[in-house]
Amino acid sequence: MIYQDYFDPLVLRRYVLRINSRAKQIRAVGRLTVYEVRERIFESRGRCEWCGADLVRKEFELDHVFSLGQQGHN
């Protein structure tokens, strides 16, 4: 997804469905909502929370604090 000030609700919905589908496949606990994902994206203020890089108009991906592969929650 490209970081911008506005996200098409359909694009966000598809993104969340992919995240939840992957979590369900590996039986991770929890499900994300479009609202939660949108709020988390905007809370970042266009910066990567790991390295601080500017994400505005750049490809980005949400990440789990503990990856799903390491038994992290969704």
Side-chain angles (χ1 to χ4, degrees):
M1 216 170 10
I2 303 288
Y3 187 96
Q4 52 196 350
D5 289 335
Y6 170 80
F7 288 95
D8 180 326
L10 185 57
V11 171
L12 274 179
R13 181 168 161 64
R14 288 180 185 147
Y15 188 73
V16 170
L17 286 173
R18 282 196 314 267
I19 291 170
N20 284 335
S21 176
R22 172 142 162 46
K24 185 177 180 180
Q25 287 176 347
I26 64 171
R27 296 188 170 108
V29 175
R31 297 291 173 258
L32 295 171
T33 67
V34 171
Y35 176 79
E36 289 170 325
V37 169
R38 184 177 61 87
E39 290 302 304
R40 190 70 208 116
I41 290 169
F42 289 140
E43 283 175 5
S44 75
R45 294 191 170 112
R47 296 242 170 242
C48 173
E49 294 195 35
W50 291 102
C51 69
D54 180 20
L55 298 174
V56 177
R57 291 182 293 282
K58 295 178 184 166
E59 189 77 27
F60 78 96
E61 195 172 310
L62 290 181
D63 201 359
H64 294 84
V65 174
F66 296 103
S67 73
L68 293 176
Q70 295 175 330
Q71 309 306 311
H73 294 240
N74 194 22

